Amino acid sequence: MSSDSSSRAIVVDRPGSHRLTVGARPEAGPDEVLVRVSAAGICMSDREVYDGHRDAAYVRYPVTPGHEWSGTVEATGDGVDPALTGRKVVAEGFRACGTCEQCRCGETSLCGGGYAETGFTEPGAFADHVAVPARLLHLLRPDADLAAAALIEPAAVIAGAVRTGRPSPGERIAVVGAGTLGMLAVQLLAASSPGELVVIDPRTERGGQALEFGASESLTPADAEAYHGRFDLVVETAGAPGTAASSCLLARRGGRVVLTGMFTPGAVGIDPVHLSLSQLEVRSVFGAPSSAWSYAVRAFGLGLIDPAPLITHEFPLERFGEALALVGGGDPKTGKVLLRP
């Protein structure tokens, strides 16, 4: 833990190279707040930043990563209500301009004013403190579990996907992938009273946990082939090379497919013949707009989503390298990994 006047941060100078820095506590600039970080989640996007696999247009080295986080407001800048001090918060990552056509239409994750995001182009939360524009804050309840709240960012992505998918009571729904996004999707979709909620993942341990979260059935991808053409809504969360195509095969004719996984070049394409004959509605999700953040924060406050059981490891900043190695390491027992500054 740093002193009141100092602050530590993980800095990735270039792919494969990081250091723990100690410097003066950052200041909250005009219209900003300074947040004391309580917990920050590590996800595959952070691993991509470290490994140098993220598209160069979406990262700026050197960078302090950390886009999934929670904390408490410690200081406010000029133009910000001082009453925010002491409040538990999360904040949107995209630094949307608020004035372009997409922002004015509510599509803040598609801001046309240029890409800027906390933890990728702006200093993130793998640090004792993070400074963010106050307009991006979402306030949490005073009794909020801040470790669990660090997962509101992926929950917001899933909230955006669920809102896009428009689940109705009684529908047959499939979730492809039982990682963090998939598990949060199960929780949120279970709240829509589906007639059937099936999770598909090769890791049977993860499938078992999905049943505890509200899924009605857990299948391996091989077993799921018998379910082609069954589902009203398919929410894809895995981002594996074949899951976009397989998700479309799971949907019934006229069904809806929402893709949330981050695919890499070489992923299997969706069959256009199947797409046209089945009259599918296919949407993709990139990040989360402000409306999805609000939805996720409300769902978290009501207990409709509870990310706490997904957390399996917590590390101090000094053990960042060890924590990062667990992410994407392939161990099915590894769930969400947090840094606790």
Side-chain angles (χ1 to χ4, degrees):
M1 180 67 69
S2 64
S3 70
D4 290 342
S5 60
S6 66
S7 189
R8 302 166 303 156
I10 296 293
V11 176
V12 177
D13 291 299
R14 58 187 180 279
S17 174
H18 77 276
R19 56 197 166 92
L20 179 63
T21 66
V22 181
R25 191 186 79 155
E27 299 289 333
D31 301 319
E32 287 187 338
V33 295
L34 183 69
V35 178
R36 162 71 70 169
V37 178
S38 176
I42 305 177
C43 88
M44 281 303 296
S45 295
D46 300 309
R47 183 71 188 261
E48 289 170 0
V49 167
Y50 191 80
D51 292 342
H53 295 159
R54 188 170 174 87
D55 188 307
Y58 294 94
V59 64
R60 187 179 302 140
Y61 300 100
V63 65
T64 294
H67 61 284
E68 305 177 0
W69 58 270
S70 65
T72 304
V73 176
E74 196 166 271
T76 57
D78 291 342
V80 180
D81 185 354
L84 287 172
T85 303
R87 291 298 302 269
K88 293 180 178 181
V89 295
V90 292
E92 298 172 33
F94 286 114
R95 307 289 182 95
C97 71
T99 58
C100 70
E101 183 176 0
Q102 290 93 325
C103 283
R104 296 299 291 270
C105 291
E107 298 178 336
T108 53
S109 58
L110 300 178
C111 175
Y115 172 72
E117 185 175 3
T118 301
F120 297 106
T121 66
E122 313 299 323
F126 292 171
D128 289 317
H129 298 89
V130 61
V132 296
R135 61 187 170 80
L136 300 180
L137 289 182
H138 289 265
L139 303 182
L140 304 175
R141 291 165 47 142
D143 61 350
D145 175 354
L146 286 177
L151 276 69
I152 288 179
E153 191 276 341
V157 173
I158 285 303
V162 169
R163 286 161 57 89
T164 296
R166 308 183 310 280
S168 295
E171 286 194 318
R172 291 173 171 171
I173 301 176
V175 174
V176 177
T180 298
L181 290 178
M183 293 296 196
L184 293 170
V186 168
Q187 289 190 346
L188 209 48
L189 288 164
S192 70
S193 300
E196 192 174 300
L197 183 54
V198 176
V199 173
I200 300 165
D201 194 288
R203 301 166 293 183
T204 55
E205 300 94 336
R206 303 290 292 185
Q209 188 177 27
L211 296 176
E212 298 173 9
F213 280 18
S216 57
E217 191 173 2
S218 169
L219 301 172
T220 66
D223 293 336
E225 291 180 9
Y227 286 66
H228 283 180
R230 180 179 183 84
F231 299 100
D232 301 290
L233 171 63
V234 181
V235 178
E236 187 282 329
T237 69
T243 51
S246 63
S247 294
C248 290
L249 295 176
L250 288 165
R252 66 165 174 83
R253 295 189 72 195
R256 308 179 306 281
V257 179
V258 184
L259 307 175
T260 70
M262 296 299 290
F263 298 95
T264 56
V268 178
I270 297 170
D271 179 3
V273 175
H274 174 76
L275 196 62
S276 59
L277 291 178
S278 298
Q279 198 174 312
L280 297 182
E281 178 184 330
V282 181
R283 288 285 305 273
S284 61
V285 170
F286 177 70
S290 297
S291 56
W293 274 88
S294 295
Y295 188 100
V297 169
R298 288 196 302 271
F300 178 73
L302 291 169
L304 297 179
I305 53 172
D306 177 16
L310 299 175
I311 301 166
T312 58
H313 297 78
E314 298 184 8
F315 292 90
L317 289 179
E318 293 86 350
R319 296 172 65 188
F320 168 71
E322 185 180 346
L324 187 70
L326 283 174
V327 177
D331 186 345
K333 294 185 176 61
T334 300
K336 197 65 192 180
V337 179
L338 297 185
L339 290 179
R340 299 298 301 267

